[in-house]
């Protein structure tokens, strides 16, 4: 079977038929128009049949013959299958690009400060980070693996719990010193509260009202204060001294460890209903680069 010898000729034929132009096909394939024409002619000679009606002038100078039109769908499907096969071959290696989806806040406050450890572990894998607040289609967008915040159920994806978290108030050391001591949660009355609007409270996202109810201070007014729709920006507002933020422990852990933020009332513990999950498509579960990244995430998330 000699057809594979004409793989480049088939590519030239398909591109020429799609563009109805040797010049446009050449631009796509990064060769000269003369080279495309020669490849198409070699294929016609091998098949012993013309593939195009060639006009002398006008926009329709290159029209596929009826026989060519019937063959084109199968040829295009064949190229699609070849591309899929090559993708499968690349999946057998930890090398190449791993596309990771995460929210902008999680990427900024947790993932990026740690990603160098993964690079050291798997230097052959290049991470492409896709940050988005919206839930993206993993197959359509070419996402290999992601970290999502929720209840652990997303259509078409395997979800493995990565981290639970606690909810607690934080402020900057300078703000605390300037404002004076806060002895009990009741002392938050009249203080500047920073609200995190990044996740809908209807989904189980803890609010100031939830924490104050747990703390036994439901009378504290939560109707005022700065409102921010990004968890990283919420923490930055607190670091900059704009008030007290209701922090998520996963997001705030590095800032607390570094002393940029001070946890308030640590005796009041509110476990979040939502958690972080590693998510991926079931058919991609055995990809070596995905397996390596998943195992690294799990190791990083394990308390030490």
């Amino acid at each position: 079977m000699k057809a594979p010898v004409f793989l480049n000729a088939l590519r030239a034929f398909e591109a020429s038929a799609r563009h109805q132009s040797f010049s446009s096909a050449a631009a796509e394939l990064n060769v000269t128009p003369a080279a495309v024409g020669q490849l198409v002619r070699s294929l016609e000679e091998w098949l012993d049949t013309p593939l195009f009606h060639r006009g002398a002038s006008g926009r329709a100078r290159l029209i596929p013959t009826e026989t060519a039109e019937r063959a084109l769908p199968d040829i295009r499907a064949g190229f699609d299958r070849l591309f899929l096969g090559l993708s499968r071959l690349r999946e057998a290696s930890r090398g190449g690009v791993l596309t990771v989806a995460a929210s902008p806040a999680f990427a900024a406050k947790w993932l990026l400060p740690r990603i160098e450890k993964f690079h050291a572990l798997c230097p052959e894998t290049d991470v492409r980070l896709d940050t988005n607040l919206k839930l993206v289609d993993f197959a359509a967008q070419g996402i290999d693996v992601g970290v999502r915040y929720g209840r652990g159920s997303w259509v078409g994806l395997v979800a493995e719990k990565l981290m639970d978290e606690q909810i607690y108030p934080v402020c900057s050391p300078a703000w605390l010193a300037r404002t004076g001591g806060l002895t009990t949660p009741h002392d938050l009355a009249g203080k500047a509260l920073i609200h995190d609007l990044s996740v809908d409270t209807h989904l189980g996202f803890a609010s100031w009202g939830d924490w104050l109810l747990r703390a036994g201070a439901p009378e504290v007014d939560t109707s005022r204060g700065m409102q921010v729709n990004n968890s990283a920006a919420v923490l930055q507002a607190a670091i900059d001294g704009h008030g007290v933020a209701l922090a998520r422990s996963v997001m705030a852990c590095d800032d607390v460890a570094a002393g940029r933020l001070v946890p308030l009332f640590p005796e009041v513990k509110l476990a979040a209903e939502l958690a972080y999950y590693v998510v991926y498509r079931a058919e991609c579960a055995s990809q070596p680069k995905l397996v390596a990244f998943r195992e690294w995430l799990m190791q990083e998330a394990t308390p030490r």
Side-chain angles (χ1 to χ4, degrees), residues 84-198:
L84 180 60
L86 288 172
S87 298
R88 293 284 186 262
L89 290 174
R90 292 187 65 185
E91 288 171 2
S93 168
R94 291 204 316 191
V97 177
L98 179 74
T99 302
V100 180
S103 73
F106 181 81
K109 302 303 289 184
W110 194 91
L111 184 57
L112 286 175
R114 293 164 174 79
I115 198 65
E116 189 58 37
K117 297 179 184 178
F118 178 73
H119 289 154
L121 183 67
C122 299
E124 67 274 33
T125 302
D126 294 324
V127 173
R128 175 180 176 269
L129 189 56
D130 187 306
T131 60
N132 204 315
L133 286 174
K134 297 181 179 179
L135 299 184
V136 296
D137 185 322
F138 275 38
Q141 301 298 321
I143 305 296
D144 296 304
V145 62
V147 177
R148 283 186 175 174
Y149 188 65
R151 297 188 181 277
S153 179
W154 292 276
V155 175
L157 296 176
V158 177
E160 298 180 73
K161 184 178 282 189
L162 180 64
M163 291 178 282
D164 288 307
E165 67 178 356
Q166 300 286 324
I167 307 297
Y168 52 80
V170 295
C171 66
S172 72
W175 185 91
L176 186 61
R178 184 173 68 250
T179 305
L182 298 177
T183 306
T184 72
H186 301 277
D187 295 331
L188 289 171
K191 301 298 188 295
L193 303 182
I194 305 170
H195 302 264
D196 189 341
L197 305 183
S198 62

Side-chain angles (χ1 to χ4, degrees), residues 266-301:
E267 70 279 4
V268 180
K269 299 186 183 299
L270 177 61
E273 293 183 24
L274 310 181
Y276 295 89
Y277 292 82
V278 182
V279 295
Y280 51 87
R281 290 177 289 150
E283 62 267 28
C284 299
S286 62
Q287 289 184 19
K289 59 187 178 181
L290 189 155
V291 171
F293 189 76
R294 173 196 164 279
E295 290 178 351
W296 172 78
L297 281 175
M298 292 295 185
Q299 182 178 354
E300 282 297 311

Side-chain angles (χ1 to χ4, degrees), residues 6-7 47 81 92-93 96 110 123 131 149 158 168-169 185 202 208 229 238-239 245 247 258 291:
F6 290 95
L7 186 58
L47 295 170
R81 296 294 296 178
S93 168
W110 194 91
T131 60
Y149 188 65
V158 177
Y168 52 80
H202 291 96
W208 266 112
N229 68 346
I239 291 170
V291 171

